[in-house]
Amino acid sequence: VPVVLTVTHTPGVPEGVDLSWSGNQASYDIYRSTDCAALFANPLTATTNNDYTDASPPQGSLVCYTVLGEAPGPIRQPPSKE
């Protein structure tokens, strides 16, 4: 299921950034980087909500964000019928 991410400035907090997204996963990993090619190097945080406020994003440069729904744990193979 694709996640659609919307990014806006937080009203009243000039440096704040509000993220909101679609999706119905149990939890999400949020990634942020000023190097978009290395976006997945370090997760910013995890949340069970469909929104997050980044109150202190890096200033003075392009900041890239992405949100990934966490998949459930490994799926066990059914026992073989031998």
Side-chain angles (χ1 to χ4, degrees):
V1 174
V3 171
V4 177
L5 174 63
T6 302
V7 181
T8 57
H9 282 287
T10 306
V13 183
E15 64 277 356
V17 175
D18 286 332
L19 309 173
S20 62
W21 56 90
S22 63
N24 59 359
Q25 295 294 109
S27 64
Y28 299 89
D29 291 325
I30 302 170
Y31 295 84
R32 173 189 77 190
S33 180
T34 55
D35 178 1
C36 297
L39 183 57
F40 296 101
N42 295 304
L44 174 63
T45 191
T47 183
T48 56
N49 299 322
N50 284 65
D51 58 10
Y52 175 79
T53 297
D54 188 357
S56 57
Q59 298 296 307
S61 63
L62 174 69
V63 180
C64 299
Y65 291 93
T66 196
V67 176
L68 295 178
E70 292 182 1
I75 298 173
R76 294 180 184 237
Q77 294 294 325
S80 64
K81 297 179 181 181
E82 293 180 22

